[in-house]
Amino acid sequence: MKTGSQVIIRPARNVRGSVQLPGDKSVSHRYAMLAGIAEGPSRLENYSTGADCASTLGCMRALGVTWERKENVVEVQGRDLALAVPNIPLDCGNSGSTMRMLSGIVAAQKFTSEMTGDESLSRRPMERVIRPLSAMGAQIASREGKPPLRITGAHLKAIDYKMPVASAQVKSCLLFAGLFAEGETRVEEPLRTRDHGEVALQAFGAQLERKGNEVRIRGGQRLRGIGARIPGDLSSAAFFLCAAALFPDSQLTIPNLLMNPNRARLLDILMQMGLRISVTQLDEIHGELVGSLQIDGARLKGATLAGADSAALIDEIPVLAAIAPYTEQGIEVRDARELRVKESDRIAAVATNLRLMGAQVEERDDGLRIPGGQTLRGAELDSFGDHRIAMAFAVAALRAQGETLIRGSEAAAISYPAFFSTLEDMTER
């Protein structure tokens, strides 16, 4: 793949400082969509700086929602539940989150929308939203279950849906569609996934029922605009947490971080591996837990990630795998086949780059086994056009012998444009 930029990472001896992270991507996407279909204005402070969340805002504008961005605040004027006919395709860029979740809203509109994306997004599976939305009454044409999607909206009927694959995005899509549907929509998931969609809906005034792995929402509810500060992105924090974990003398502070229990499993795993993390304050803001972290480095043991942990940590597995060779016992990842269909095949990308750095890696269909106690050397690596791969290997390179060059480093802008400069500011050499 042709790439437009590259970055060189030099070895470090420590990570120190305080890092204020951009707003959480998962929350930013959902708040922007719900603000657009709410009554009245919403003020979203610390909205994500990533290109994916900008794609969501762009799609909302194409659907007639007016918004203005002033530095890190986005002010949205809601249109209630009725959006405008788009006169251009809804360009989701690289954002599968935008396409999957927003399809639940456009499926209920009285017009046809075309949802498109970049080359990477055009290879990603959308059958998992096409099937239930079609069962609710929408007409959706696709390219063999992949984008672009042509969605002709309808008066939706509620659905009782048992999700075959655990996916927070699909769950949010169906709950958003359920807002517009006649009757009560029930969604059951095989494993408990992130609940940002449910929490966001409640923040905007919707009522829903949660019981175990099941969520129910009644159609015909109205949303109202909110004022909110979006907490720092925990998936972005993962890279700094793992960087700190590479050096026993690291000291790092992360204020105003999202601490949603369905996302904070990463902190549990890192603490079990030996990283010292303390939460200095904890508040609840619009139903989401927000805390400040103090991190002290340590020698890391190993870990096995499987089942519910693999589902909970799906975005963080690439960086955990990238630092696995430096741990004492290594890391084994199972039940993570979903990584094969992300922005890149993340299992193959991690294995390829680790081998280029001299590591032993066993690649499996649904995961990886990476022995610990290894020494990595600097190498020429590829981001594979994937933001999480670019950032994960920038972290791994901090403890390698010699410099590492990462081609396609511009991919990091998808979620965190300032990542490389922020990492450099934290690094002591």
Side-chain angles (χ1 to χ4, degrees):
M1 178 185 285
K2 280 189 181 172
T3 53
S5 68
Q6 58 190 40
V7 68
I8 291 173
I9 307 291
R10 294 180 292 125
R13 60 182 176 84
N14 242 332
V15 173
R16 282 178 186 270
S18 178
V19 57
Q20 180 77 54
L21 293 165
D24 186 78
K25 274 181 68 189
S26 298
V27 176
S28 295
H29 280 302
R30 290 164 172 83
Y31 275 14
M33 291 178 198
L34 296 180
I37 58 169
E39 212 175 335
S42 291
R43 187 177 191 277
L44 310 177
E45 196 180 330
N46 199 37
Y47 187 85
S48 169
T49 54
D52 274 4
C53 293
S55 291
T56 290
L57 286 174
C59 289
M60 296 312 288
R61 176 163 278 159
L63 289 161
V65 175
T66 57
W67 55 264
E68 194 178 354
R69 190 166 195 157
K70 299 170 183 170
E71 292 180 0
N72 74 337
V73 176
V74 177
E75 293 178 348
V76 183
Q77 186 59 48
R79 289 184 57 97
D80 215 343
L81 296 176
L83 297 171
V85 182
N87 52 22
I88 55 170
L90 304 177
D91 183 359
C92 302
N94 187 249
S95 179
S97 304
T98 305
M99 186 170 283
R100 290 194 185 103
M101 293 192 288
L102 189 55
S103 61
I105 293 173
V106 299
Q109 304 301 314
K110 296 184 175 72
F111 49 75
T112 297
S113 308
E114 187 175 353
M115 303 187 83
T116 63
D118 68 7
E119 184 192 346
S120 162
L121 183 52
S122 300
R123 295 193 299 268
R124 284 152 74 188
M126 294 294 152
E127 194 60 51
R128 55 187 65 175
V129 294
I130 294 172
R131 194 176 292 119
L133 290 176
S134 299
M136 293 177 87
Q139 291 181 2
I140 306 178
S142 68
R143 193 176 45 80
E144 296 176 349
K146 292 177 181 157
L149 304 183
R150 187 174 174 81
I151 301 178
T152 301
H155 181 70
L156 300 182
K157 298 277 193 291
I159 190 174
D160 193 334
Y161 192 66
K162 207 167 185 168
M163 287 166 49
V165 178
S167 166
Q169 293 174 10
V170 176
K171 178 174 60 170
S172 290
C173 163
L174 298 180
L175 293 175
F176 292 177
L179 259 187
F180 297 86
E182 189 180 316
E184 184 180 68
T185 295
R186 176 182 165 274
V187 182
E188 186 183 334
E189 46 189 353
L191 292 169
R192 188 79 185 269
T193 64
R194 300 170 176 187
D195 62 353
H196 299 302
E198 298 97 299
V199 173
L201 279 161
Q202 288 173 315
F204 280 85
Q207 291 184 327
L208 43 82
E209 249 181 87
R210 291 194 268 184
K211 191 175 171 186
N213 291 1
E214 174 189 303
V215 194
R216 297 168 181 259
I217 190 165
R218 196 173 28 78
Q221 299 187 61
R222 307 280 286 275
L223 305 181
R224 59 177 183 275
I226 62 170
R229 179 180 171 81
I230 297 170
D233 187 85
L234 188 55
S235 296
S236 296
F239 300 101
F240 297 99
L241 290 164
C242 287
L246 295 179
F247 307 101
D249 293 331
S250 291
Q251 286 192 320
L252 188 63
T253 305
I254 307 179
N256 302 315
L257 186 67
L258 179 75
M259 298 285 285
N260 182 299
N262 291 313
R263 293 279 293 282
R265 183 65 183 138
L266 170 70
L267 305 180
D268 299 335
I269 294 288
L270 286 170
M271 287 164 77
Q272 285 167 20
M273 291 172 70
L275 190 63
R276 290 169 293 169
I277 302 174
S278 54
V279 181
T280 54
Q281 64 186 86
L282 200 59
D283 298 302
E284 187 175 304
I285 302 171
H286 289 295
E288 292 284 13
L289 283 178
V290 182
S292 295
L293 300 186
Q294 178 64 49
I295 300 105
D296 293 286
R299 296 191 188 283
L300 288 189
K301 303 191 281 282
T304 297
L305 307 176
D309 279 345
S310 294
L313 295 169
I314 203 75
D315 285 340
E316 290 77 43
I317 286 172
V319 68
L320 289 167
I323 66 164
Y326 301 121
T327 64
E328 289 175 3
Q329 289 103 23
I331 290 179
E332 183 174 354
V333 177
R334 300 197 296 261
D335 308 317
R337 194 175 284 104
E338 180 75 3
L339 288 171
R340 295 279 188 192
V341 292
K342 292 290 188 176
E343 284 84 333
S344 67
D345 177 340
R346 286 179 174 162
I347 291 173
V350 166
T352 299
N353 280 345
L354 281 177
R355 287 182 185 130
L356 286 169
M357 297 178 85
Q360 286 184 304
V361 183
E362 184 187 331
E363 181 181 343
R364 299 167 177 171
D365 179 47
D366 69 341
L368 300 148
R369 194 179 76 80
I370 304 159
Q374 303 191 62
T375 300
L376 302 190
R377 59 176 184 268
E380 286 197 16
L381 308 178
D382 200 321
S383 74
F384 297 92
D386 188 325
H387 56 124
R388 297 205 191 279
I389 297 299
M391 295 188 282
F393 281 91
V395 172
L398 293 176
R399 218 176 107 177
Q401 294 179 346
E403 294 184 343
T404 296
L405 183 146
I406 301 173
R407 292 187 297 271
S409 58
E410 77 280 359
I414 289 295
S415 61
Y416 195 169
F419 172 74
F420 292 107
S421 59
T422 305
L423 186 66
E424 184 63 25
D425 290 344
M426 299 286 106
T427 303
E428 291 184 347
R429 292 195 166 83

